[in-house]
Amino acid sequence: MAHGETDTATARLSELGAFLRNYPVKSAAGHSYISAEPRATPAAPALPYNPNVENHIRACAQEITQHTLAANPDAGPLPDKVAAYYDWMRENTAHASEEDQFRAEVIEYRQWLEHCLRAGDNETVRKQVRRQPCPACGCWGLMWMRELREAYCTNTECTDRDGFSTHLSLSRLAHAHVTSRRNLRQARAT
C-alpha cells in the first residue's frame, strides 16, 4: 500500500482491536466512568469496552465481506480474525473484474484512514491528505478539517456551484488516491 509497508489497514484494525480490549469506556468529556463519588447502582453493569469501536470494526468487516462476496460468490470461508479480512478480500478478488479490484483497494485505503481517525491519529490522515492533489482542480492545496472529517481545497477558484470551497469525503479521497496510484503504475509500466 502507498501508506507504508507496516502501516496498513490490517495493522490499524489490529490496533483498534487492542484498543477495544485495553481502554475503558470514556464519557463524551473524556472522563472515565469510574468516579470516587457515590452513584446509583446501575441496572446492568457498564460495558468493559467501547461499543463504538466494536461497531466500527463490525461495519468494516461487513463491508469487506459484502464486496468480496459480490465480486466472488465462491469466495472461501471467512477468516477467524477480523484483521485477516483484508488479505481474504485481496485473495478472493485477485481474479475479479478490474472494477471490483479497484473497489477493493478503495475500501481498504478508506478504511485505513477511518481506522487512523478512530484511534485518534489525525496527524497521519492530515499528512495523507496533503500528499495528494485535489481531484477537482489538480492543485496541491488540500487541507484536512478534523472537525468535519473532510478535506477541502484551498484553491479559491476550486468551488462548488454555491461558491464554497470544494469539500472531499474520505470516500472521495480514497477513490482519488487509488486512481492516481494506478495511473502512476501504468505510466511506469510503459
Side-chain angles (χ1 to χ4, degrees):
M1 302 287 318
H3 40 78
E5 295 275 333
T6 59
D7 190 10
T8 62
T10 301
R12 289 291 178 149
L13 189 60
S14 297
E15 287 174 12
L16 282 178
F19 177 83
L20 178 69
R21 290 186 302 275
N22 295 328
Y23 292 96
V25 176
K26 302 270 185 182
S27 69
H31 303 292
S32 175
Y33 282 120
I34 300 171
S35 173
E37 297 177 21
R39 60 186 174 127
T41 304
L47 294 174
Y49 60 88
N50 187 334
N52 292 330
V53 174
E54 180 184 14
N55 292 340
H56 170 73
I57 292 171
R58 284 181 192 272
C60 290
Q62 183 178 1
E63 182 181 19
I64 291 167
T65 304
Q66 287 176 345
H67 172 70
T68 304
L69 293 175
N72 181 3
D74 298 326
L78 289 169
D80 293 333
K81 298 195 183 269
V82 176
Y85 276 42
Y86 294 107
D87 292 332
W88 177 79
M89 178 175 62
R90 273 186 246 105
E91 289 168 9
N92 287 289
T93 58
H95 301 293
S97 70
E98 194 68 28
E99 182 180 326
D100 287 331
Q101 290 178 24
F102 176 81
R103 179 79 180 118
E105 283 185 61
V106 170
I107 289 170
E108 185 171 356
Y109 185 76
R110 191 201 75 244
Q111 285 188 3
W112 174 72
L113 293 173
E114 290 171 351
H115 300 336
C116 291
L117 292 174
R118 183 67 64 171
D121 187 3
N122 289 297
E123 186 62 20
T124 297
V125 175
R126 186 189 68 77
K127 286 180 182 177
Q128 288 298 313
V129 167
R130 299 283 299 163
R131 288 182 183 146
Q132 63 186 82
C134 174
C137 70
C139 78
W140 293 90
L142 290 181
M143 300 293 278
W144 178 247
M145 292 182 8
R146 188 178 79 195
E147 299 78 22
L148 297 177
R149 290 179 58 130
E150 287 186 337
Y152 72 97
C153 184
T154 58
N155 181 354
T156 57
E157 294 179 17
C158 184
T159 59
D160 61 16
R161 59 181 172 219
D162 295 325
F164 294 107
S165 296
T166 301
H167 286 253
L168 306 158
S169 65
L170 288 178
S171 295
R172 190 162 173 209
L173 285 168
H175 187 276
H177 175 81
V178 173
T179 299
S180 66
R181 193 171 70 215
R182 282 183 166 222
N183 290 342
L184 183 62
R185 278 197 306 247
Q186 288 175 350
R188 287 182 178 166
T190 57

